[in-house]
Amino acid sequence: MDSGYVDPVCKPPDAACEQAGPAREPSMCHAREVLQRVGDKWSVFVIDLLGQGTMRFGELHRSIDGITSRMLTVTLRGLERDGIVSRTIHPVIPPRVDYELTAMGRTLLDTIGRLVSWTDSHLPEIDAARAAYDARHPRQ
């Protein structure tokens, strides 16, 4: 299972980052790191939800079926580190923490929204394809 954590030091698992040359190496490694973050299934849900407005941790947790508190924490920290989500701590008792998309994070909404819409509109076809595949490849 993907933990949502992206190592800040690029350790290339394939030849794309191992190729020499200042123009290719850093951009490939860096792009992979960013795509791992925004393409992670939990990040997609968080970005989509925060597109509706500011939310607290508990609201996000209740709205994302199947995510653990730990995974939501890891996801939010990663998105905050990448400048996609901002975290505001209000000095009240008990403390209140709000999460919202940054201006840069909001630029992802169209893309994420289209991905979520595509998924929703193709679920019956995906389910049928999975059933057909599973029938051809029974588990042992």
mmCIF file of all heavy atoms in Angstrom, residues 56-105:
data_model
loop_
_atom_site.group_PDB
_atom_site.id
_atom_site.type_symbol
_atom_site.label_atom_id
_atom_site.label_comp_id
_atom_site.label_asym_id
_atom_site.label_seq_id
_atom_site.Cartn_x
_atom_site.Cartn_y
_atom_site.Cartn_z
ATOM 1 N N ARG A 56 -11.971 21.058 8.302
ATOM 2 C CA ARG A 56 -11.177 20.603 9.438
ATOM 3 C C ARG A 56 -10.818 19.134 9.227
ATOM 4 O O ARG A 56 -11.397 18.443 8.395
ATOM 5 C CB ARG A 56 -11.977 20.799 10.729
ATOM 6 C CG ARG A 56 -12.230 22.282 10.998
ATOM 7 C CD ARG A 56 -13.090 22.515 12.187
ATOM 8 N NE ARG A 56 -12.327 22.183 13.389
ATOM 9 C CZ ARG A 56 -12.802 22.340 14.616
ATOM 10 N NH1 ARG A 56 -14.015 22.807 14.796
ATOM 11 N NH2 ARG A 56 -12.080 22.024 15.654
ATOM 12 N N PHE A 57 -9.849 18.665 9.998
ATOM 13 C CA PHE A 57 -9.365 17.297 9.871
ATOM 14 C C PHE A 57 -10.503 16.290 9.988
ATOM 15 O O PHE A 57 -10.645 15.386 9.165
ATOM 16 C CB PHE A 57 -8.296 17.012 10.938
ATOM 17 C CG PHE A 57 -7.667 15.662 10.820
ATOM 18 C CD1 PHE A 57 -6.520 15.493 10.067
ATOM 19 C CD2 PHE A 57 -8.217 14.553 11.454
ATOM 20 C CE1 PHE A 57 -5.926 14.248 9.943
ATOM 21 C CE2 PHE A 57 -7.637 13.302 11.331
ATOM 22 C CZ PHE A 57 -6.487 13.149 10.578
ATOM 23 N N GLY A 58 -11.332 16.447 11.010
ATOM 24 C CA GLY A 58 -12.437 15.514 11.240
ATOM 25 C C GLY A 58 -13.425 15.468 10.084
ATOM 26 O O GLY A 58 -13.933 14.409 9.729
ATOM 27 N N GLU A 59 -13.688 16.634 9.487
ATOM 28 C CA GLU A 59 -14.586 16.681 8.329
ATOM 29 C C GLU A 59 -14.003 15.902 7.155
ATOM 30 O O GLU A 59 -14.708 15.152 6.483
ATOM 31 C CB GLU A 59 -14.825 18.126 7.888
ATOM 32 C CG GLU A 59 -15.585 18.976 8.875
ATOM 33 C CD GLU A 59 -15.626 20.429 8.431
ATOM 34 O OE1 GLU A 59 -14.561 21.096 8.424
ATOM 35 O OE2 GLU A 59 -16.739 20.888 8.081
ATOM 36 N N LEU A 60 -12.711 16.109 6.915
ATOM 37 C CA LEU A 60 -12.046 15.383 5.841
ATOM 38 C C LEU A 60 -12.078 13.886 6.124
ATOM 39 O O LEU A 60 -12.399 13.080 5.247
ATOM 40 C CB LEU A 60 -10.599 15.853 5.681
ATOM 41 C CG LEU A 60 -10.396 17.211 5.036
ATOM 42 C CD1 LEU A 60 -8.969 17.704 5.262
ATOM 43 C CD2 LEU A 60 -10.717 17.150 3.555
ATOM 44 N N HIS A 61 -11.767 13.521 7.356
ATOM 45 C CA HIS A 61 -11.707 12.102 7.725
ATOM 46 C C HIS A 61 -13.060 11.422 7.537
ATOM 47 O O HIS A 61 -13.146 10.314 7.007
ATOM 48 C CB HIS A 61 -11.211 11.957 9.174
ATOM 49 C CG HIS A 61 -10.854 10.576 9.539
ATOM 50 N ND1 HIS A 61 -11.556 9.873 10.498
ATOM 51 C CD2 HIS A 61 -9.901 9.734 9.066
ATOM 52 C CE1 HIS A 61 -11.032 8.671 10.613
ATOM 53 N NE2 HIS A 61 -10.029 8.556 9.761
ATOM 54 N N ARG A 62 -14.120 12.080 7.939
ATOM 55 C CA ARG A 62 -15.468 11.508 7.780
ATOM 56 C C ARG A 62 -15.894 11.443 6.310
ATOM 57 O O ARG A 62 -16.683 10.583 5.925
ATOM 58 C CB ARG A 62 -16.490 12.335 8.564
ATOM 59 C CG ARG A 62 -16.468 12.085 10.049
ATOM 60 C CD ARG A 62 -17.628 12.789 10.761
ATOM 61 N NE ARG A 62 -17.599 14.240 10.618
ATOM 62 C CZ ARG A 62 -16.889 15.062 11.378
ATOM 63 N NH1 ARG A 62 -16.126 14.590 12.332
ATOM 64 N NH2 ARG A 62 -16.943 16.372 11.191
ATOM 65 N N SER A 63 -15.360 12.328 5.493
ATOM 66 C CA SER A 63 -15.775 12.413 4.090
ATOM 67 C C SER A 63 -15.040 11.456 3.160
ATOM 68 O O SER A 63 -15.474 11.247 2.034
ATOM 69 C CB SER A 63 -15.573 13.841 3.573
ATOM 70 O OG SER A 63 -16.355 14.745 4.316
ATOM 71 N N ILE A 64 -13.915 10.901 3.617
ATOM 72 C CA ILE A 64 -13.115 10.020 2.763
ATOM 73 C C ILE A 64 -13.216 8.601 3.295
ATOM 74 O O ILE A 64 -12.542 8.235 4.265
ATOM 75 C CB ILE A 64 -11.646 10.473 2.692
ATOM 76 C CG1 ILE A 64 -11.559 11.920 2.196
ATOM 77 C CG2 ILE A 64 -10.844 9.539 1.786
ATOM 78 C CD1 ILE A 64 -10.160 12.509 2.246
ATOM 79 N N ASP A 65 -14.061 7.831 2.664
ATOM 80 C CA ASP A 65 -14.293 6.456 3.094
ATOM 81 C C ASP A 65 -13.021 5.625 2.971
ATOM 82 O O ASP A 65 -12.382 5.614 1.926
ATOM 83 C CB ASP A 65 -15.402 5.836 2.226
ATOM 84 C CG ASP A 65 -15.855 4.497 2.752
ATOM 85 O OD1 ASP A 65 -15.929 4.328 3.983
ATOM 86 O OD2 ASP A 65 -16.125 3.603 1.920
ATOM 87 N N GLY A 66 -12.650 4.969 4.059
ATOM 88 C CA GLY A 66 -11.527 4.042 4.032
ATOM 89 C C GLY A 66 -10.180 4.612 4.432
ATOM 90 O O GLY A 66 -9.227 3.864 4.613
ATOM 91 N N ILE A 67 -10.071 5.911 4.584
ATOM 92 C CA ILE A 67 -8.774 6.493 4.953
ATOM 93 C C ILE A 67 -8.606 6.436 6.467
ATOM 94 O O ILE A 67 -9.552 6.665 7.218
ATOM 95 C CB ILE A 67 -8.617 7.939 4.427
ATOM 96 C CG1 ILE A 67 -7.153 8.388 4.512
ATOM 97 C CG2 ILE A 67 -9.540 8.899 5.162
ATOM 98 C CD1 ILE A 67 -6.845 9.674 3.768
ATOM 99 N N THR A 68 -7.406 6.088 6.904
ATOM 100 C CA THR A 68 -7.121 6.090 8.339
ATOM 101 C C THR A 68 -6.676 7.491 8.753
ATOM 102 O O THR A 68 -6.257 8.300 7.908
ATOM 103 C CB THR A 68 -5.998 5.090 8.675
ATOM 104 O OG1 THR A 68 -4.788 5.519 8.030
ATOM 105 C CG2 THR A 68 -6.362 3.663 8.242
ATOM 106 N N SER A 69 -6.744 7.758 10.040
ATOM 107 C CA SER A 69 -6.278 9.054 10.548
ATOM 108 C C SER A 69 -4.814 9.259 10.209
ATOM 109 O O SER A 69 -4.401 10.355 9.809
ATOM 110 C CB SER A 69 -6.458 9.135 12.060
ATOM 111 O OG SER A 69 -7.810 9.138 12.396
ATOM 112 N N ARG A 70 -4.033 8.222 10.364
ATOM 113 C CA ARG A 70 -2.602 8.304 10.061
ATOM 114 C C ARG A 70 -2.367 8.641 8.588
ATOM 115 O O ARG A 70 -1.553 9.494 8.258
ATOM 116 C CB ARG A 70 -1.929 6.978 10.425
ATOM 117 C CG ARG A 70 -0.523 6.819 9.930
ATOM 118 C CD ARG A 70 0.478 7.534 10.820
ATOM 119 N NE ARG A 70 1.819 7.257 10.350
ATOM 120 C CZ ARG A 70 2.669 8.195 9.959
ATOM 121 N NH1 ARG A 70 2.337 9.461 10.007
ATOM 122 N NH2 ARG A 70 3.870 7.887 9.546
ATOM 123 N N MET A 71 -3.088 7.962 7.689
ATOM 124 C CA MET A 71 -2.895 8.209 6.255
ATOM 125 C C MET A 71 -3.358 9.611 5.880
ATOM 126 O O MET A 71 -2.732 10.273 5.046
ATOM 127 C CB MET A 71 -3.640 7.163 5.432
ATOM 128 C CG MET A 71 -3.388 7.260 3.943
ATOM 129 S SD MET A 71 -1.648 7.327 3.452
ATOM 130 C CE MET A 71 -1.037 5.826 4.141
ATOM 131 N N LEU A 72 -4.434 10.096 6.491
ATOM 132 C CA LEU A 72 -4.885 11.455 6.216
ATOM 133 C C LEU A 72 -3.836 12.459 6.688
ATOM 134 O O LEU A 72 -3.533 13.433 5.986
ATOM 135 C CB LEU A 72 -6.236 11.730 6.876
ATOM 136 C CG LEU A 72 -6.815 13.123 6.653
ATOM 137 C CD1 LEU A 72 -6.933 13.462 5.171
ATOM 138 C CD2 LEU A 72 -8.173 13.233 7.353
ATOM 139 N N THR A 73 -3.260 12.214 7.853
ATOM 140 C CA THR A 73 -2.202 13.088 8.368
ATOM 141 C C THR A 73 -1.011 13.126 7.419
ATOM 142 O O THR A 73 -0.505 14.198 7.074
ATOM 143 C CB THR A 73 -1.747 12.619 9.766
ATOM 144 O OG1 THR A 73 -2.856 12.695 10.660
ATOM 145 C CG2 THR A 73 -0.610 13.466 10.299
ATOM 146 N N VAL A 74 -0.564 11.954 6.965
ATOM 147 C CA VAL A 74 0.576 11.867 6.048
ATOM 148 C C VAL A 74 0.254 12.587 4.736
ATOM 149 O O VAL A 74 1.086 13.335 4.199
ATOM 150 C CB VAL A 74 0.955 10.385 5.796
ATOM 151 C CG1 VAL A 74 1.929 10.247 4.640
ATOM 152 C CG2 VAL A 74 1.527 9.767 7.064
ATOM 153 N N THR A 75 -0.945 12.379 4.235
ATOM 154 C CA THR A 75 -1.355 13.006 2.973
ATOM 155 C C THR A 75 -1.395 14.520 3.103
ATOM 156 O O THR A 75 -0.863 15.242 2.253
ATOM 157 C CB THR A 75 -2.726 12.456 2.527
ATOM 158 O OG1 THR A 75 -2.617 11.044 2.351
ATOM 159 C CG2 THR A 75 -3.194 13.095 1.232
ATOM 160 N N LEU A 76 -2.011 15.015 4.166
ATOM 161 C CA LEU A 76 -2.103 16.461 4.372
ATOM 162 C C LEU A 76 -0.719 17.084 4.539
ATOM 163 O O LEU A 76 -0.446 18.156 3.990
ATOM 164 C CB LEU A 76 -2.984 16.780 5.579
ATOM 165 C CG LEU A 76 -4.481 16.575 5.354
ATOM 166 C CD1 LEU A 76 -5.224 16.587 6.683
ATOM 167 C CD2 LEU A 76 -5.041 17.628 4.413
ATOM 168 N N ARG A 77 0.155 16.430 5.275
ATOM 169 C CA ARG A 77 1.515 16.960 5.457
ATOM 170 C C ARG A 77 2.251 17.040 4.123
ATOM 171 O O ARG A 77 2.949 18.011 3.845
ATOM 172 C CB ARG A 77 2.305 16.089 6.433
ATOM 173 C CG ARG A 77 1.920 16.325 7.860
ATOM 174 C CD ARG A 77 2.754 15.494 8.795
ATOM 175 N NE ARG A 77 2.289 15.652 10.164
ATOM 176 C CZ ARG A 77 2.572 14.816 11.140
ATOM 177 N NH1 ARG A 77 3.331 13.749 10.926
ATOM 178 N NH2 ARG A 77 2.106 15.033 12.347
ATOM 179 N N GLY A 78 2.119 16.005 3.310
ATOM 180 C CA GLY A 78 2.776 16.007 2.006
ATOM 181 C C GLY A 78 2.235 17.092 1.106
ATOM 182 O O GLY A 78 3.004 17.794 0.421
ATOM 183 N N LEU A 79 0.919 17.260 1.089
ATOM 184 C CA LEU A 79 0.307 18.305 0.261
ATOM 185 C C LEU A 79 0.687 19.696 0.762
ATOM 186 O O LEU A 79 0.890 20.620 -0.023
ATOM 187 C CB LEU A 79 -1.212 18.135 0.223
ATOM 188 C CG LEU A 79 -1.716 16.909 -0.540
ATOM 189 C CD1 LEU A 79 -3.208 16.708 -0.306
ATOM 190 C CD2 LEU A 79 -1.406 17.030 -2.032
ATOM 191 N N GLU A 80 0.806 19.833 2.075
ATOM 192 C CA GLU A 80 1.238 21.114 2.645
ATOM 193 C C GLU A 80 2.701 21.373 2.275
ATOM 194 O O GLU A 80 3.061 22.491 1.876
ATOM 195 C CB GLU A 80 1.077 21.095 4.163
ATOM 196 C CG GLU A 80 1.457 22.394 4.836
ATOM 197 C CD GLU A 80 1.336 22.365 6.343
ATOM 198 O OE1 GLU A 80 1.127 21.288 6.938
ATOM 199 O OE2 GLU A 80 1.486 23.446 6.942
ATOM 200 N N ARG A 81 3.519 20.365 2.363
ATOM 201 C CA ARG A 81 4.944 20.511 2.022
ATOM 202 C C ARG A 81 5.123 20.938 0.572
ATOM 203 O O ARG A 81 6.001 21.745 0.259
ATOM 204 C CB ARG A 81 5.669 19.187 2.257
ATOM 205 C CG ARG A 81 7.138 19.256 1.955
ATOM 206 C CD ARG A 81 7.839 17.959 2.355
ATOM 207 N NE ARG A 81 9.262 18.093 2.111
ATOM 208 C CZ ARG A 81 9.894 17.571 1.059
ATOM 209 N NH1 ARG A 81 9.230 16.862 0.170
ATOM 210 N NH2 ARG A 81 11.177 17.746 0.905
ATOM 211 N N ASP A 82 4.282 20.414 -0.312
ATOM 212 C CA ASP A 82 4.371 20.741 -1.737
ATOM 213 C C ASP A 82 3.672 22.050 -2.097
ATOM 214 O O ASP A 82 3.644 22.439 -3.262
ATOM 215 C CB ASP A 82 3.803 19.601 -2.581
ATOM 216 C CG ASP A 82 4.701 18.371 -2.574
ATOM 217 O OD1 ASP A 82 5.883 18.478 -2.175
ATOM 218 O OD2 ASP A 82 4.227 17.295 -2.975
ATOM 219 N N GLY A 83 3.069 22.720 -1.105
ATOM 220 C CA GLY A 83 2.445 24.014 -1.365
ATOM 221 C C GLY A 83 1.063 23.931 -1.975
ATOM 222 O O GLY A 83 0.548 24.910 -2.502
ATOM 223 N N ILE A 84 0.424 22.759 -1.870
ATOM 224 C CA ILE A 84 -0.898 22.553 -2.458
ATOM 225 C C ILE A 84 -1.998 22.838 -1.443
ATOM 226 O O ILE A 84 -3.075 23.301 -1.789
ATOM 227 C CB ILE A 84 -0.998 21.126 -3.027
ATOM 228 C CG1 ILE A 84 0.012 20.981 -4.174
ATOM 229 C CG2 ILE A 84 -2.411 20.769 -3.457
ATOM 230 C CD1 ILE A 84 0.262 19.567 -4.619
ATOM 231 N N VAL A 85 -1.711 22.566 -0.181
ATOM 232 C CA VAL A 85 -2.666 22.768 0.912
ATOM 233 C C VAL A 85 -2.016 23.663 1.959
ATOM 234 O O VAL A 85 -0.818 23.555 2.227
ATOM 235 C CB VAL A 85 -3.053 21.401 1.543
ATOM 236 C CG1 VAL A 85 -3.784 21.571 2.857
ATOM 237 C CG2 VAL A 85 -3.895 20.587 0.572
ATOM 238 N N SER A 86 -2.812 24.537 2.543
ATOM 239 C CA SER A 86 -2.317 25.331 3.670
ATOM 240 C C SER A 86 -3.032 24.883 4.932
ATOM 241 O O SER A 86 -4.192 24.446 4.887
ATOM 242 C CB SER A 86 -2.508 26.829 3.432
ATOM 243 O OG SER A 86 -3.879 27.152 3.434
ATOM 244 N N ARG A 87 -2.336 24.990 6.027
ATOM 245 C CA ARG A 87 -2.839 24.561 7.338
ATOM 246 C C ARG A 87 -2.825 25.782 8.240
ATOM 247 O O ARG A 87 -1.792 26.417 8.422
ATOM 248 C CB ARG A 87 -1.920 23.475 7.874
ATOM 249 C CG ARG A 87 -2.254 22.950 9.223
ATOM 250 C CD ARG A 87 -1.256 21.808 9.554
ATOM 251 N NE ARG A 87 -1.600 21.162 10.780
ATOM 252 C CZ ARG A 87 -0.950 21.342 11.918
ATOM 253 N NH1 ARG A 87 0.097 22.155 11.980
ATOM 254 N NH2 ARG A 87 -1.322 20.701 13.003
ATOM 255 N N THR A 88 -3.981 26.109 8.814
ATOM 256 C CA THR A 88 -4.088 27.266 9.699
ATOM 257 C C THR A 88 -4.496 26.799 11.082
ATOM 258 O O THR A 88 -5.527 26.138 11.244
ATOM 259 C CB THR A 88 -5.140 28.275 9.173
ATOM 260 O OG1 THR A 88 -4.788 28.638 7.831
ATOM 261 C CG2 THR A 88 -5.204 29.503 10.052
ATOM 262 N N ILE A 89 -3.670 27.130 12.072
ATOM 263 C CA ILE A 89 -3.969 26.783 13.471
ATOM 264 C C ILE A 89 -4.542 28.036 14.126
ATOM 265 O O ILE A 89 -3.904 29.091 14.151
ATOM 266 C CB ILE A 89 -2.701 26.328 14.216
ATOM 267 C CG1 ILE A 89 -2.066 25.143 13.501
ATOM 268 C CG2 ILE A 89 -3.025 25.992 15.667
ATOM 269 C CD1 ILE A 89 -0.686 24.783 14.007
ATOM 270 N N HIS A 90 -5.752 27.908 14.662
ATOM 271 C CA HIS A 90 -6.405 29.023 15.336
ATOM 272 C C HIS A 90 -6.123 28.926 16.831
ATOM 273 O O HIS A 90 -6.305 27.870 17.430
ATOM 274 C CB HIS A 90 -7.915 29.005 15.079
ATOM 275 C CG HIS A 90 -8.247 29.104 13.618
ATOM 276 N ND1 HIS A 90 -8.302 30.303 12.956
ATOM 277 C CD2 HIS A 90 -8.516 28.148 12.693
ATOM 278 C CE1 HIS A 90 -8.606 30.091 11.691
ATOM 279 N NE2 HIS A 90 -8.736 28.784 11.505
ATOM 280 N N PRO A 91 -5.694 30.028 17.442
ATOM 281 C CA PRO A 91 -5.327 30.012 18.862
ATOM 282 C C PRO A 91 -6.554 30.047 19.780
ATOM 283 O O PRO A 91 -6.837 31.058 20.431
ATOM 284 C CB PRO A 91 -4.463 31.261 19.014
ATOM 285 C CG PRO A 91 -5.000 32.196 17.972
ATOM 286 C CD PRO A 91 -5.450 31.324 16.833
ATOM 287 N N VAL A 92 -7.282 28.964 19.801
ATOM 288 C CA VAL A 92 -8.452 28.850 20.669
ATOM 289 C C VAL A 92 -8.325 27.546 21.470
ATOM 290 O O VAL A 92 -7.513 26.690 21.152
ATOM 291 C CB VAL A 92 -9.779 28.842 19.855
ATOM 292 C CG1 VAL A 92 -9.979 30.178 19.154
ATOM 293 C CG2 VAL A 92 -9.800 27.711 18.858
ATOM 294 N N ILE A 93 -9.140 27.422 22.488
ATOM 295 C CA ILE A 93 -9.159 26.202 23.296
ATOM 296 C C ILE A 93 -10.498 25.537 23.074
ATOM 297 O O ILE A 93 -11.525 26.140 23.318
ATOM 298 C CB ILE A 93 -8.981 26.516 24.806
ATOM 299 C CG1 ILE A 93 -7.703 27.309 25.057
ATOM 300 C CG2 ILE A 93 -9.029 25.244 25.627
ATOM 301 C CD1 ILE A 93 -6.421 26.560 24.831
ATOM 302 N N PRO A 94 -10.554 24.295 22.618
ATOM 303 C CA PRO A 94 -9.442 23.493 22.110
ATOM 304 C C PRO A 94 -8.951 24.046 20.778
ATOM 305 O O PRO A 94 -9.691 24.749 20.075
ATOM 306 C CB PRO A 94 -10.064 22.111 21.933
ATOM 307 C CG PRO A 94 -11.504 22.351 21.702
ATOM 308 C CD PRO A 94 -11.842 23.611 22.471
ATOM 309 N N PRO A 95 -7.708 23.724 20.414
ATOM 310 C CA PRO A 95 -7.151 24.248 19.164
ATOM 311 C C PRO A 95 -7.990 23.838 17.952
ATOM 312 O O PRO A 95 -8.547 22.747 17.921
ATOM 313 C CB PRO A 95 -5.766 23.606 19.079
ATOM 314 C CG PRO A 95 -5.467 23.121 20.441
ATOM 315 C CD PRO A 95 -6.780 22.865 21.112
ATOM 316 N N ARG A 96 -8.091 24.738 17.007
ATOM 317 C CA ARG A 96 -8.820 24.442 15.769
ATOM 318 C C ARG A 96 -7.850 24.571 14.607
ATOM 319 O O ARG A 96 -7.129 25.560 14.503
ATOM 320 C CB ARG A 96 -9.978 25.415 15.598
ATOM 321 C CG ARG A 96 -10.894 25.024 14.447
ATOM 322 C CD ARG A 96 -12.065 25.968 14.306
ATOM 323 N NE ARG A 96 -11.827 26.738 13.096
ATOM 324 C CZ ARG A 96 -12.113 28.013 12.950
ATOM 325 N NH1 ARG A 96 -12.647 28.695 13.931
ATOM 326 N NH2 ARG A 96 -11.876 28.626 11.820
ATOM 327 N N VAL A 97 -7.831 23.558 13.758
ATOM 328 C CA VAL A 97 -6.944 23.556 12.596
ATOM 329 C C VAL A 97 -7.797 23.437 11.344
ATOM 330 O O VAL A 97 -8.638 22.546 11.242
ATOM 331 C CB VAL A 97 -5.937 22.386 12.670
ATOM 332 C CG1 VAL A 97 -5.021 22.389 11.457
ATOM 333 C CG2 VAL A 97 -5.126 22.453 13.956
ATOM 334 N N ASP A 98 -7.587 24.341 10.418
ATOM 335 C CA ASP A 98 -8.300 24.339 9.143
ATOM 336 C C ASP A 98 -7.330 24.043 8.007
ATOM 337 O O ASP A 98 -6.169 24.464 8.043
ATOM 338 C CB ASP A 98 -8.952 25.703 8.869
ATOM 339 C CG ASP A 98 -10.102 26.008 9.807
ATOM 340 O OD1 ASP A 98 -10.802 25.069 10.219
ATOM 341 O OD2 ASP A 98 -10.298 27.197 10.121
ATOM 342 N N TYR A 99 -7.841 23.331 7.010
ATOM 343 C CA TYR A 99 -7.067 23.032 5.811
ATOM 344 C C TYR A 99 -7.798 23.624 4.625
ATOM 345 O O TYR A 99 -9.024 23.576 4.552
ATOM 346 C CB TYR A 99 -6.935 21.515 5.618
ATOM 347 C CG TYR A 99 -6.139 20.864 6.725
ATOM 348 C CD1 TYR A 99 -6.769 20.363 7.858
ATOM 349 C CD2 TYR A 99 -4.753 20.765 6.635
ATOM 350 C CE1 TYR A 99 -6.035 19.782 8.874
ATOM 351 C CE2 TYR A 99 -4.014 20.174 7.647
ATOM 352 C CZ TYR A 99 -4.664 19.683 8.765
ATOM 353 O OH TYR A 99 -3.931 19.103 9.774
ATOM 354 N N GLU A 100 -7.029 24.192 3.699
ATOM 355 C CA GLU A 100 -7.612 24.715 2.479
ATOM 356 C C GLU A 100 -6.588 24.630 1.363
ATOM 357 O O GLU A 100 -5.381 24.523 1.611
ATOM 358 C CB GLU A 100 -8.106 26.142 2.661
ATOM 359 C CG GLU A 100 -7.019 27.151 2.945
ATOM 360 C CD GLU A 100 -7.585 28.541 3.193
ATOM 361 O OE1 GLU A 100 -8.578 28.915 2.541
ATOM 362 O OE2 GLU A 100 -7.012 29.256 4.029
ATOM 363 N N LEU A 101 -7.080 24.673 0.140
ATOM 364 C CA LEU A 101 -6.181 24.667 -0.999
ATOM 365 C C LEU A 101 -5.507 26.021 -1.124
ATOM 366 O O LEU A 101 -6.132 27.062 -0.874
ATOM 367 C CB LEU A 101 -6.946 24.380 -2.294
ATOM 368 C CG LEU A 101 -7.517 22.980 -2.460
ATOM 369 C CD1 LEU A 101 -8.326 22.893 -3.752
ATOM 370 C CD2 LEU A 101 -6.429 21.926 -2.433
ATOM 371 N N THR A 102 -4.257 26.012 -1.506
ATOM 372 C CA THR A 102 -3.563 27.254 -1.819
ATOM 373 C C THR A 102 -3.985 27.678 -3.229
ATOM 374 O O THR A 102 -4.691 26.938 -3.929
ATOM 375 C CB THR A 102 -2.038 27.032 -1.804
ATOM 376 O OG1 THR A 102 -1.711 26.076 -2.812
ATOM 377 C CG2 THR A 102 -1.559 26.562 -0.432
ATOM 378 N N ALA A 103 -3.530 28.835 -3.645
ATOM 379 C CA ALA A 103 -3.823 29.289 -5.011
ATOM 380 C C ALA A 103 -3.292 28.265 -6.019
ATOM 381 O O ALA A 103 -3.970 27.923 -6.990
ATOM 382 C CB ALA A 103 -3.215 30.666 -5.253
ATOM 383 N N MET A 104 -2.102 27.746 -5.772
ATOM 384 C CA MET A 104 -1.551 26.741 -6.675
ATOM 385 C C MET A 104 -2.377 25.454 -6.611
ATOM 386 O O MET A 104 -2.645 24.832 -7.630
ATOM 387 C CB MET A 104 -0.090 26.429 -6.307
ATOM 388 C CG MET A 104 0.547 25.413 -7.238
ATOM 389 S SD MET A 104 2.301 25.132 -6.935
ATOM 390 C CE MET A 104 2.297 24.482 -5.277
ATOM 391 N N GLY A 105 -2.803 25.071 -5.423
ATOM 392 C CA GLY A 105 -3.630 23.871 -5.271
ATOM 393 C C GLY A 105 -4.938 23.977 -6.026
ATOM 394 O O GLY A 105 -5.419 22.997 -6.607
#
